[in-house]
mmCIF file of all heavy atoms in Angstrom:
data_model
loop_
_atom_site.group_PDB
_atom_site.id
_atom_site.type_symbol
_atom_site.label_atom_id
_atom_site.label_comp_id
_atom_site.label_asym_id
_atom_site.label_seq_id
_atom_site.Cartn_x
_atom_site.Cartn_y
_atom_site.Cartn_z
ATOM 1 N N VAL A 409 23.268 -17.833 -8.519
ATOM 2 C CA VAL A 409 22.648 -19.051 -7.982
ATOM 3 C C VAL A 409 21.724 -19.694 -9.022
ATOM 4 O O VAL A 409 20.900 -20.534 -8.696
ATOM 5 C CB VAL A 409 21.895 -18.784 -6.662
ATOM 6 C CG1 VAL A 409 22.854 -18.356 -5.578
ATOM 7 C CG2 VAL A 409 20.789 -17.763 -6.846
ATOM 8 N N LEU A 410 21.875 -19.282 -10.283
ATOM 9 C CA LEU A 410 21.116 -19.815 -11.414
ATOM 10 C C LEU A 410 19.607 -19.654 -11.252
ATOM 11 O O LEU A 410 18.825 -20.492 -11.655
ATOM 12 C CB LEU A 410 21.475 -21.285 -11.661
ATOM 13 C CG LEU A 410 22.949 -21.556 -11.943
ATOM 14 C CD1 LEU A 410 23.187 -23.053 -12.097
ATOM 15 C CD2 LEU A 410 23.419 -20.811 -13.171
ATOM 16 N N SER A 411 19.207 -18.524 -10.664
ATOM 17 C CA SER A 411 17.797 -18.221 -10.475
ATOM 18 C C SER A 411 17.207 -17.703 -11.789
ATOM 19 O O SER A 411 17.786 -16.833 -12.443
ATOM 20 C CB SER A 411 17.640 -17.154 -9.388
ATOM 21 O OG SER A 411 16.369 -16.573 -9.421
ATOM 22 N N THR A 412 16.051 -18.228 -12.150
ATOM 23 C CA THR A 412 15.364 -17.755 -13.347
ATOM 24 C C THR A 412 15.065 -16.264 -13.235
ATOM 25 O O THR A 412 15.215 -15.512 -14.195
ATOM 26 C CB THR A 412 14.049 -18.539 -13.557
ATOM 27 O OG1 THR A 412 14.348 -19.928 -13.605
ATOM 28 C CG2 THR A 412 13.350 -18.113 -14.829
ATOM 29 N N GLY A 413 14.661 -15.829 -12.034
ATOM 30 C CA GLY A 413 14.383 -14.420 -11.804
ATOM 31 C C GLY A 413 15.603 -13.543 -12.022
ATOM 32 O O GLY A 413 15.493 -12.417 -12.516
ATOM 33 N N GLY A 414 16.793 -14.031 -11.668
ATOM 34 C CA GLY A 414 18.019 -13.281 -11.897
ATOM 35 C C GLY A 414 18.291 -13.059 -13.371
ATOM 36 O O GLY A 414 18.654 -11.964 -13.801
ATOM 37 N N PHE A 415 18.078 -14.125 -14.173
ATOM 38 C CA PHE A 415 18.282 -14.004 -15.614
ATOM 39 C C PHE A 415 17.243 -13.072 -16.236
ATOM 40 O O PHE A 415 17.573 -12.258 -17.098
ATOM 41 C CB PHE A 415 18.229 -15.386 -16.284
ATOM 42 C CG PHE A 415 19.460 -16.203 -16.021
ATOM 43 C CD1 PHE A 415 19.469 -17.158 -15.023
ATOM 44 C CD2 PHE A 415 20.600 -16.004 -16.778
ATOM 45 C CE1 PHE A 415 20.604 -17.905 -14.778
ATOM 46 C CE2 PHE A 415 21.744 -16.753 -16.538
ATOM 47 C CZ PHE A 415 21.750 -17.710 -15.532
ATOM 48 N N ILE A 416 16.004 -13.174 -15.790
ATOM 49 C CA ILE A 416 14.946 -12.288 -16.299
ATOM 50 C C ILE A 416 15.253 -10.835 -15.933
ATOM 51 O O ILE A 416 15.069 -9.927 -16.750
ATOM 52 C CB ILE A 416 13.569 -12.717 -15.764
ATOM 53 C CG1 ILE A 416 13.171 -14.063 -16.383
ATOM 54 C CG2 ILE A 416 12.504 -11.664 -16.051
ATOM 55 C CD1 ILE A 416 11.942 -14.681 -15.769
ATOM 56 N N THR A 417 15.747 -10.613 -14.715
ATOM 57 C CA THR A 417 16.090 -9.260 -14.275
ATOM 58 C C THR A 417 17.166 -8.653 -15.160
ATOM 59 O O THR A 417 17.024 -7.526 -15.646
ATOM 60 C CB THR A 417 16.551 -9.273 -12.811
ATOM 61 O OG1 THR A 417 15.495 -9.751 -11.989
ATOM 62 C CG2 THR A 417 16.975 -7.895 -12.351
ATOM 63 N N VAL A 418 18.253 -9.395 -15.389
ATOM 64 C CA VAL A 418 19.351 -8.860 -16.200
ATOM 65 C C VAL A 418 18.899 -8.638 -17.646
ATOM 66 O O VAL A 418 19.218 -7.602 -18.244
ATOM 67 C CB VAL A 418 20.584 -9.792 -16.134
ATOM 68 C CG1 VAL A 418 21.640 -9.387 -17.143
ATOM 69 C CG2 VAL A 418 21.171 -9.771 -14.733
ATOM 70 N N LEU A 419 18.140 -9.571 -18.201
ATOM 71 C CA LEU A 419 17.628 -9.378 -19.563
ATOM 72 C C LEU A 419 16.702 -8.167 -19.638
ATOM 73 O O LEU A 419 16.752 -7.400 -20.610
ATOM 74 C CB LEU A 419 16.892 -10.634 -20.036
ATOM 75 C CG LEU A 419 17.772 -11.837 -20.361
ATOM 76 C CD1 LEU A 419 16.917 -13.071 -20.628
ATOM 77 C CD2 LEU A 419 18.673 -11.544 -21.546
ATOM 78 N N SER A 420 15.894 -7.961 -18.623
ATOM 79 C CA SER A 420 14.990 -6.808 -18.602
ATOM 80 C C SER A 420 15.761 -5.496 -18.485
ATOM 81 O O SER A 420 15.424 -4.507 -19.146
ATOM 82 C CB SER A 420 14.004 -6.923 -17.442
ATOM 83 O OG SER A 420 13.211 -8.063 -17.575
#
Side-chain angles (χ1 to χ4, degrees):
V409 296
L410 302 177
S411 164
T412 304
F415 286 98
I416 291 171
T417 299
V418 170
L419 288 172
S420 299

